[in-house]
Amino acid sequence: MTKGLFSNQHAGLCRRDLLILAGTAAVASYSQRAIAAVGGAPIKIEAVSQGEDVFAYVNRVKGSFDQQAYQQVIGAANEFKEGDQTIGVGALDDTTRRNARALLTNTKLSDLHDHPLFEDDLQRLIWQTTDQAQFQKIKDWTMGQLREFLLTGSEEEIKGVMNGLTSDSIGFVPKLMSNEELISVSQKIFNVMPGTKLGAKGYMGARIQPNSPTDHPDDIVWQVFDAFSYATGDIVIGTNPVDSTVESVATVERALKDIVDTFKLGDIIPWCVLAHIDVQGEVSETFPGTVSTMFQSLAGTDDCNKIFDITNEKILKYARAKAGERYGLYFETGQGSEFTNGVANGVDMMVLESRKYGFSRAIGIELAKVQPRGAWLHVNDVAGFIGPEVFKSREQLVRCCLEDMVMGKLHGLTIGLDICTTLHMTVSLDDLDWCQDQIMPANPAYLIALPTKNDPMLSYLTTAFQDHVRLREKFGFKVNDAMWDFYKRIGIVGEDNSFTANYGDPLWVYYQYRLAKGDGRPKDAVYAEGREKIREVEKRGVDLATGHGEEIWDLDPTLAAKVKSLYDDAKQSLWAELTPEFIAAVPDAVPVRTLSSDRNDYIAHPTTGENLSPDSITEIERIRASWGSDMPKGQIVISDGLNAKAIMDDGHLSPYLEEMRKLLSEAGVTVGDKNILVTSGRVRAGYRIGEMLFENADPDSLRGILHIIGERPGTMHHAYSVYITVAKGKRWSEKGIDHDITRLVSNVADTALHPKEAARETLTIIREIVGKQVNNSRRYG
């Protein structure tokens, strides 16, 4: 590609990009070098002495304090999760786990405070925002005493000291508790959103997640109407964008704002488009009044937040910019994001999750300074999104959610859950109902809400609108009072608090919306228009729930059958492989393989899909040699990812390749004439190919990889993504290319973002990068 065509900077990744990078075909499994850094093998603790604490044990077995052994002992106290085992901080066996817990039980909070598991700027921010007066009250307690206090103390007593707990100490608490004990603690701590009942005892709300495969405003607004028809949604209306350009995000923001304004809900519920916070900031500046609450994904280490393109100071400045506003910030977290990106720094997933809540607490303190009446800040724990490399089973999902609930509440946060699973985990649709029932006694502030359990864009399973109806009925939970009054106002709920005949009818909500806009047409005319819009929405692959089955909380049987068929198709897609016939049909294909021995190895051990086999490395070297002194500016790489069908389906790959090569040629950009076709490839395989191809490039000349990869399945679209990764020759030669310089075009399919349109969007992104030539974190560095 011509010099200067690509910048080595990137626009901040949006939540969808981050989730794909951390949890789908693009999963960045913990690197081998990072595993080696913590010793690799699980720790074994055969015996401990009476009253021995963590530090005495480490000194006894190592001869002096050893940071790595310390991290391993702390990690070994966790319940089993695959992610901890991967980085070498999991227990070898149950005896080790019991002994690690005994050591931790005997350890003083002051000693743990003085020995952080990992110190960086985030850790220092957490120390600075931990209440020192409260810490002095409890610093001489052991973890065992803290555990007992939390189990027996009242909410008032707990809140009298919990701000004096560091995030590390809070992250140690669940290690010493059973599920029942975690529920007991969670049942007595409630952090209520200012001026609401959100997060209060007996209340369980919903974040409406109206995702669209194409960001079509009608897809989004009709899912909101659908949610309202089930009296579901009260904390935020938040959609995940496919396209994170300023103009596209602004369009969706305006569509959500219109609903809130039309129904006069401005003081009751905010809206949010979950693009990167810098993009939201630019939308707010360019189109004043279109942005409500602001979102960002958080990580538990500086290194991982760098990949997310954020710093402590950046988020603190965004908090200060919310001066005087009711709606503050909204964060999403989840165990495993650090290890999947190779930057856990030897710390177990649960403690790193707790550090994210410490980050959130620090931001909440800053918000309180600029909004004394109380600004909204809430956290959504996306517990099961990444996949089986973090944990695999329904029991582990329940455990993770209960751990995170306690840690979030002890940080003083209003915390909700995304009780979710990927389609390459073993958790089924029915298992999710079981998980919900196990977790609900802990009283999360809210859950995610979709028309069905299946997200039409993110391709994962979570909570349906009607699941909320079932859970509210079973556990006696309420919706925030102000929003419940709105549901009465539009006739979904009667004065006796029971559902009316309009329950489950988004057409009725649309009719109320048109009336609120002053539309004087007859009801039949509005309904006819609404039915046509629903047909258009569903044709684009977005299902809307209407009515119900045998029970009021059951999906309509026809829709339930469709959701089951999509689930079954996803399982088939996961195991699909590129066929010899397809490989032969790809023009100028050079087939290569990663280190994955087969499909099972690829799914179970993501790292194997990140590096090429020895024979394949030879093939890449042949391509490089064939260039001689005429090295192109870019190379196209194609991988099966978690959905080979997305690549092989008719009308998917060929139109993109043809259009992309045509557009690049017209722009005067040289691209390698071969198409490198990777079996069992993940996103980092593309980085490694680029490093081999461009290691001898002009140090100051930019080179790029366009990596086409099958997204994880779960929708009708069989979509793929295109990863645009660019760096100067010097960076390629130094190796270590990673996600922080990657841009993404996603949800490409003949039924979603059309391949030819995706090619044009790819070129648009390239031109945006060329035009900026500066750090795209434009606002707050």
Side-chain angles (χ1 to χ4, degrees):
M1 300 174 186
T2 55
K3 186 173 182 179
L5 181 59
F6 281 127
S7 164
N8 66 341
Q9 303 295 336
H10 71 293
L13 297 171
C14 72
R15 176 178 180 263
R16 174 180 166 80
D17 301 354
L18 293 169
L19 292 176
I20 291 174
L21 286 169
T24 67
V27 66
S29 181
Y30 209 83
S31 65
Q32 292 296 333
R33 64 181 181 275
I35 295 170
V38 293
I43 189 174
K44 183 175 184 179
I45 305 174
E46 295 182 339
V48 299
S49 303
Q50 182 70 29
E52 191 171 32
D53 70 5
V54 169
F55 301 102
Y57 172 80
V58 171
N59 277 277
R60 175 166 64 83
V61 299
K62 293 293 184 179
S64 62
F65 178 72
D66 183 276
Q67 183 72 14
Q68 181 184 109
Y70 173 45
Q71 292 174 328
Q72 288 181 306
V73 172
I74 295 297
N78 281 349
E79 283 292 308
F80 171 78
K81 294 192 188 87
E82 281 75 9
D84 288 336
Q85 299 298 109
T86 299
I87 62 171
V89 296
L92 180 66
D93 49 35
D94 287 339
T95 298
T96 295
R97 187 169 289 107
R98 285 194 300 272
N99 287 333
R101 289 171 177 168
L103 294 170
L104 183 57
T105 297
N106 295 330
T107 305
K108 285 188 175 182
L109 295 179
S110 58
D111 291 334
L112 293 166
H113 179 278
D114 294 341
H115 294 84
L117 288 173
F118 177 74
E119 185 173 347
D120 59 3
D121 286 344
L122 177 54
Q123 177 64 69
R124 288 184 280 275
L125 175 65
I126 291 168
W127 278 331
Q128 293 164 10
T129 51
T130 298
D131 189 305
Q132 291 304 306
Q134 290 189 11
F135 175 68
Q136 292 301 315
K137 298 177 185 178
I138 57 177
K139 67 177 183 178
D140 292 327
W141 289 7
T142 64
M143 282 299 303
Q145 289 174 304
L146 176 61
R147 170 186 174 276
E148 188 65 21
F149 171 76
L150 293 174
L151 290 170
T152 59
S154 67
E155 180 180 30
E156 182 180 4
E157 290 171 326
I158 292 170
K159 287 190 171 182
V161 301
M162 71 184 193
N163 289 335
L165 293 169
T166 66
S167 297
D168 277 15
S169 294
I170 291 174
F172 300 153
V173 165
K175 300 171 188 284
L176 304 179
M177 292 184 176
S178 66
N179 284 11
E180 292 72 23
E181 289 169 333
L182 290 170
I183 290 170
S184 174
V185 173
S186 190
Q187 284 177 336
K188 64 170 116 179
I189 304 173
F190 295 93
N191 305 303
V192 184
M193 201 82 79
T196 76
K197 291 292 188 178
L198 292 161
K201 185 174 183 178
Y203 284 77
M204 195 275 291
R207 171 203 151 186
I208 303 171
Q209 184 168 288
N211 291 342
S212 165
T214 57
D215 288 340
H216 197 294
D218 281 355
D219 296 355
I220 293 163
V221 300
W222 273 91
Q223 287 179 81
V224 177
F225 296 154
D226 202 11
F228 287 173
S229 76
Y230 291 95
T232 296
D234 57 357
I235 193 165
V236 65
I237 306 170
T239 187
N240 305 101
V242 175
D243 182 352
S244 287
T245 60
V246 169
E247 291 74 15
S248 180
V249 170
T251 297
V252 178
E253 294 267 17
R254 283 192 287 263
L256 296 176
K257 172 179 166 57
D258 173 67
I259 295 172
V260 172
D261 288 349
T262 299
F263 281 127
K264 295 181 171 55
L265 298 173
D267 291 330
I268 297 174
I269 187 170
W271 66 91
C272 185
V273 177
L274 282 71
H276 189 276
I277 196 165
D278 286 340
V279 176
Q280 296 169 76
E282 186 167 348
V283 171
S284 182
E285 289 182 350
T286 308
F287 307 100
T290 60
V291 174
S292 181
T293 198
M294 295 182 74
F295 158 84
Q296 182 55 45
S297 290
L298 299 183
T301 66
D302 290 348
D303 291 336
C304 197
N305 280 319
K306 179 182 177 183
I307 294 172
F308 289 11
D309 193 24
I310 61 170
T311 62
N312 301 343
E313 187 57 28
K314 175 185 286 190
I315 304 303
L316 285 166
K317 286 182 177 178
Y318 275 113
R320 294 170 195 138
K322 280 287 186 177
E325 296 185 24
R326 176 178 176 82
Y327 301 126
L329 298 174
Y330 162 34
F331 299 133
E332 290 197 349
T333 68
Q335 290 191 33
S337 57
E338 298 81 15
F339 112 77
T340 58
N341 283 292
V343 285
N345 299 302
V347 182
D348 66 89
M349 297 189 299
M350 189 158 63
V351 171
L352 291 176
E353 180 71 7
S354 187
R355 283 165 56 105
K356 298 165 198 173
Y357 302 148
F359 195 173
S360 303
R361 181 172 68 183
I363 301 304
I365 291 171
E366 201 67 28
L367 277 173
K369 295 176 183 176
V370 300
Q371 176 52 289
R373 291 180 297 167
W376 285 28
L377 180 144
H378 59 99
V379 175
N380 178 32
D381 169 35
V382 186
F385 193 92
I386 294 178
E389 60 272 25
V390 174
F391 57 79
K392 293 182 179 179
S393 71
R394 67 178 194 171
E395 289 80 11
Q396 290 173 311
L397 174 56
V398 168
R399 176 72 190 186
C400 182
C401 288
L402 295 178
E403 291 167 349
D404 296 352
M405 285 295 300
V406 167
M407 294 190 296
K409 288 189 173 189
L410 284 174
H411 277 93
L413 301 174
T414 304
I415 182 167
L417 294 174
D418 194 346
I419 305 174
C420 61
T421 178
T422 67
L423 285 149
H424 56 308
M425 290 171 67
T426 59
V427 182
S428 69
L429 288 162
D430 291 338
D431 286 336
L432 275 183
D433 288 348
W434 179 86
C435 291
Q436 293 165 6
D437 288 351
Q438 305 307 303
I439 295 165
M440 283 306 101
N443 203 162
Y446 64 96
L447 300 178
I448 294 297
L450 307 174
T452 75
K453 281 184 169 69
N454 189 34
D455 190 293
M457 186 269 278
L458 288 175
S459 304
Y460 79 125
L461 303 178
T462 184
T463 320
F465 299 152
Q466 289 176 316
D467 291 326
H468 282 260
V469 176
R470 181 182 74 85
L471 294 171
R472 295 197 302 250
E473 174 70 19
K474 181 170 183 176
F475 293 94
F477 290 136
K478 298 178 182 178
V479 171
N480 186 35
D481 292 351
M483 200 67 187
W484 193 250
D485 288 343
F486 163 69
Y487 292 134
K488 288 183 176 180
R489 173 158 58 89
I490 63 170
I492 298 299
V493 178
E495 288 303 316
D496 62 354
N497 290 316
S498 62
F499 289 115
T500 69
N502 302 313
Y503 169 83
D505 183 3
L507 286 170
W508 171 260
V509 178
Y510 179 61
Y511 176 54
Q512 298 302 306
Y513 167 82
R514 294 308 312 170
L515 289 176
K517 281 191 168 295
D519 191 335
R521 289 178 296 166
K523 178 182 174 182
D524 288 348
V526 175
Y527 264 53
E529 178 181 77
R531 289 189 187 97
E532 181 57 32
K533 287 182 177 292
I534 288 176
R535 281 192 289 270
E536 293 171 357
V537 168
E538 293 180 335
K539 187 177 180 180
R540 287 189 290 269
V542 177
D543 291 314
L544 298 176
T546 57
H548 57 84
E550 184 176 347
E551 300 287 353
I552 198 170
W553 48 78
D554 292 336
L555 280 177
D556 173 85
T558 301
L559 182 55
K562 180 179 180 181
V563 172
K564 176 63 165 55
S565 71
L566 290 172
Y567 177 86
D568 292 341
D569 177 71
K571 294 300 184 182
Q572 295 171 13
S573 297
L574 281 168
W575 296 97
E577 297 183 356
L578 299 176
T579 64
E581 294 78 13
F582 172 78
I583 294 172
V586 176
D588 298 309
V590 178
V592 296
R593 295 190 62 91
T594 63
L595 294 175
S596 300
S597 59
D598 55 27
R599 198 68 182 162
N600 185 67
D601 189 31
Y602 173 77
I603 292 171
H605 306 108
T607 306
T608 64
E610 296 179 352
N611 295 285
L612 297 185
S613 69
D615 289 346
S616 297
I617 290 174
T618 301
E619 287 294 329
I620 300 302
E621 290 172 342
R622 286 196 186 106
I623 292 175
R624 185 184 63 203
S626 73
W627 292 342
S629 60
D630 190 20
M631 180 182 291
K633 296 294 183 179
Q635 175 63 50
I636 293 175
V637 177
I638 305 158
S639 291
D640 48 7
L642 283 174
N643 189 359
K645 288 186 176 182
I647 304 299
M648 295 190 294
D649 280 0
D650 290 341
H652 277 205
L653 180 63
S654 293
Y656 179 84
L657 288 179
E658 292 167 2
E659 186 72 6
M660 194 73 254
R661 287 186 176 275
K662 180 175 78 72
L663 291 173
L664 291 172
S665 176
E666 290 172 352
V669 177
T670 57
V671 182
D673 59 356
K674 303 296 184 183
N675 289 307
I676 299 173
L677 192 59
V678 186
T679 294
S680 299
R682 294 185 183 267
V683 167
R684 278 198 173 120
Y687 302 157
R688 304 294 81 84
I689 289 171
E691 289 166 355
M692 286 183 276
L693 290 176
F694 301 136
E695 63 181 358
N696 298 320
D698 177 349
D700 295 321
S701 178
L702 292 161
R703 295 292 191 279
I705 292 287
L706 297 182
H707 191 175
I708 302 162
I709 188 166
E711 293 179 1
R712 76 179 179 206
T715 72
M716 60 172 270
H717 302 292
H718 289 178
Y720 61 82
S721 293
V722 183
Y723 291 81
I724 308 166
T725 307
V726 181
K728 288 184 177 181
K730 183 176 185 294
R731 178 73 187 274
W732 286 112
S733 66
E734 291 172 345
K735 316 298 185 184
I737 295 290
D738 217 332
H739 305 321
D740 56 326
I741 58 170
T742 293
R743 294 286 302 273
L744 177 66
V745 176
S746 60
N747 221 53
V748 185
D750 57 349
T751 54
L753 178 61
H754 192 275
K756 288 191 175 184
E757 180 60 31
R760 291 189 284 271
E761 187 172 321
T762 302
L763 189 62
T764 297
I765 289 173
I766 293 170
R767 285 173 169 158
E768 285 180 354
I769 297 170
V770 172
K772 288 170 183 170
Q773 292 289 316
V774 294
N775 191 320
N776 283 283
S777 300
R778 294 169 295 278
R779 289 169 56 81
Y780 295 138

